[in-house]
Amino acid sequence: MKNSTVFSILILSMAFLGCSQNQQLIPKVKVKTGAEVLLDNHLQDLKNKKVGLVMNPTSLVDGVHMLDTLLQSDINITALFAAEHGFRGEAGAGEKISDGIDQQTGIPVHSLYGETRKPTSEMLKEVDIILFDLPDVGARFYTYSSTMGYVLEAATENNKEMWILDRPNPLGGNYVSGWILEDRFKSFVGSYPMPIAYGLTMGEIATMAVGEQWLNLEKEPQLKIVKAEGWERDMKWPDTGLQWIVPSPNLPTFEHAFAYVGTVIFEGTNLSEGRGTEDPFLTIGSPHMNFTTKDLEELEVKFNVQLDSVSFTPKAIPGKAINPKLKDVECTGVKISWNDNYQKADPVEFGLALLNFAKKHTHDFEVKEFANKLFGIDIKTLLESNEPLPGWEEETEAFKKQREPYLLYD
């Protein structure tokens, strides 16, 4: 009996190992970023050039920063440019960045997130080619696309080449949702007349911005898009096979970034959007929010999302949230879990539904002007007057047709 049992266990174990080995042989989709393609195919084109980098901590290939890899490849890096969060990721959201020196290489760092947001002629004096490799999260109010536009304008004015090392849009290339930005609400958190979620890569945004004359360009830019390889429009981030590298301190996982495109609207209210907690944008609340578990059920069913009541107290977190809203104040609210249900979910619609839920269940609910800049319409007036929010289906369909000539991927 014992021998029979041992034999059975051995057979099962071998079957399991064989299954595991077979599974490992099944190739997983692995997208190559534009940075990887550059290293594979275009390094020779950078030889004998003075190269400036607009990058941040996500500009990695095989775990090594592109700056270090390019230096090891004898590329002459002459200037670094820091957007929001800094070149090495040393700054939190909204923190101004000063000019300085990269401590690891001694190369000068020019801030593009302080008094100066557009590179000056002096900053570009020792630059022939600008390599731009900042990640997009697929949301109009994420400031890197605004930085891209300013850099492209400056490069064109100063007769410099600009190469965009393209990366997948984490939300996918087919997900388009939200209102088109109205001109009166144009700002650094909304530079282009696009929907909230536009389904474009950074390279496609640049190409469209040039073609649709969204930028102040007096001549044709010397723009090159180093395309990613293997990315298809229906892929969301988990489908790419790429590791999530934190694009900014408050988006530690793709789930946080997925929620962010909708729940960022709470930055334009007096409620906490979860900064100062371990789960920003997945944690929403206020000291004056009051609801029951039953109240959450309708939202859960409609949006295929898990919602739980939560108590939390925002705290100062160096490098992540120095002075979060409602710091040290105990709040009650909602904890969001998508549970990998990304393909059919619409986080923008969910964010607005949660906003209306919070308005109903928070007795001192307040909307600020910043909400208009985030979502691109006068949402403050609409909410305060209890008017229904307009739909966006017609304008998003028109935008999809408008963007077709600029799509770089199938």
Side-chain angles (χ1 to χ4, degrees):
M1 187 69 173
K2 287 183 179 178
N3 290 338
S4 175
T5 302
V6 170
F7 181 77
S8 298
I9 292 173
L10 181 60
I11 293 297
L12 288 171
S13 299
M14 291 175 65
F16 175 78
L17 287 171
C19 180
S20 299
Q21 290 171 352
N22 288 336
Q23 286 176 344
Q24 291 173 356
L25 292 174
I26 298 173
K28 185 177 182 181
V29 173
K30 174 64 165 67
V31 170
K32 288 181 68 173
T33 65
E36 293 176 271
V37 174
L38 174 86
L39 296 178
D40 288 345
N41 303 328
H42 300 288
L43 278 182
Q44 194 59 41
D45 299 332
L46 299 176
K47 297 292 184 180
N48 303 316
K49 300 287 187 178
K50 292 178 286 188
V51 179
L53 306 182
V54 186
M55 295 183 177
N56 79 350
T58 66
S59 306
L60 304 177
V61 172
D62 295 330
V64 180
H65 198 283
M66 279 290 288
L67 167 60
D68 304 315
T69 300
L70 290 168
L71 288 173
Q72 291 168 6
S73 302
D74 296 323
I75 303 301
N76 183 20
I77 308 300
T78 55
L80 309 177
F81 298 88
E84 186 176 7
H85 308 299
F87 192 87
R88 296 277 185 183
E90 62 277 7
E95 292 181 39
K96 286 188 176 181
I97 297 168
S98 301
D99 292 347
I101 298 291
D102 179 61
Q103 296 301 309
Q104 297 183 34
T105 63
I107 299 173
V109 180
H110 303 291
S111 170
L112 300 182
Y113 196 75
E115 299 302 322
T116 302
R117 292 182 172 175
K118 180 177 179 179
T120 64
S121 296
E122 186 63 26
M123 291 177 184
L124 296 173
K125 188 175 181 181
E126 295 299 318
V127 173
D128 299 319
I129 296 174
I130 301 168
L131 300 184
F132 186 98
D133 186 21
L134 292 180
D136 189 24
V137 299
R140 187 186 61 223
F141 30 71
Y142 204 62
T143 62
Y144 290 162
S145 62
S146 295
T147 296
M148 179 274 296
Y150 281 130
V151 174
L152 184 53
E153 288 178 351
T156 305
E157 291 167 9
N158 291 277
N159 298 310
K160 311 295 183 181
E161 292 183 51
M162 180 168 166
W163 296 9
I164 293 179
L165 312 185
D166 217 10
R167 291 176 178 265
N169 181 322
L171 301 177
N174 293 329
Y175 174 56
V176 179
S177 186
W179 301 287
I180 300 286
L181 175 72
E182 296 180 10
D183 284 344
R184 57 179 170 155
F185 298 123
K186 185 177 179 180
S187 72
F188 198 58
V189 293
S191 294
Y192 313 116
M194 304 188 299
I196 294 168
Y198 38 75
L200 300 171
T201 67
M202 193 72 79
E204 290 173 332
I205 295 173
T207 306
M208 188 169 185
V210 173
E212 296 296 313
Q213 301 181 347
W214 293 345
L215 302 175
N216 294 317
L217 301 173
E218 294 184 355
K219 57 185 176 181
E220 192 71 19
Q222 300 177 64
L223 175 64
K224 177 176 180 175
I225 312 299
V226 182
K227 290 175 57 177
E229 293 182 357
W231 185 67
E232 299 175 2
R233 306 207 74 83
D234 61 352
M235 290 182 181
K236 296 190 186 299
W237 189 264
D239 305 316
T240 65
L242 294 169
Q243 179 184 357
W244 181 260
I245 304 172
V246 179
S248 55
N250 286 285
L251 299 178
T253 72
F254 172 67
E255 184 175 33
H256 292 80
F258 189 78
Y260 166 82
V261 70
T263 56
V264 72
I265 190 61
F266 286 94
E267 287 189 345
T269 71
N270 61 337
L271 279 75
S272 169
E273 71 285 351
R275 292 187 190 273
T277 75
E278 291 304 310
D279 286 307
F281 305 110
L282 292 172
T283 308
I284 306 297
S286 159
H288 307 295
M289 198 172 184
N290 187 22
F291 57 89
T292 66
T293 302
K294 187 176 179 180
D295 293 328
L296 293 176
E297 290 178 356
E298 184 178 344
L299 278 179
E300 282 190 312
V301 172
K302 183 175 181 180
F303 291 96
N304 195 24
V305 64
Q306 180 181 332
L307 302 175
D308 298 296
S309 58
V310 65
S311 295
F312 65 98
T313 302
K315 298 287 186 181
I317 304 174
K320 189 173 181 180
I322 291 180
N323 189 30
K325 196 189 306 178
L326 298 173
K327 185 176 72 171
D328 298 327
V329 177
E330 185 175 359
C331 300
T332 58
V334 178
K335 180 67 178 297
I336 303 160
S337 300
W338 287 102
N339 297 323
D340 296 329
N341 294 323
Y342 301 126
Q343 280 299 342
K344 296 181 180 180
D346 188 328
V348 174
E349 285 192 357
F350 169 73
L352 288 173
L354 190 59
L355 184 70
N356 280 315
F357 178 90
K359 180 175 181 286
K360 179 179 179 181
H361 294 283
T362 308
H363 73 75
D364 67 340
F365 181 86
E366 180 183 347
V367 185
K368 303 180 183 297
E369 292 290 341
F370 187 55
N372 296 340
K373 291 184 177 181
L374 288 171
F375 271 24
I377 66 168
D378 192 358
I379 194 170
K380 174 177 168 64
T381 298
L382 291 170
L383 288 172
E384 289 178 343
S385 60
N386 293 314
E387 295 183 43
L389 299 177
W392 55 63
E393 290 77 11
E394 288 186 11
E395 52 190 289
T396 53
E397 286 304 312
F399 177 79
K400 288 178 183 178
K401 293 180 181 178
Q402 182 187 12
R403 72 177 191 161
E404 283 180 3
Y406 309 106
L407 301 183
L408 302 175
Y409 306 88
D410 296 327

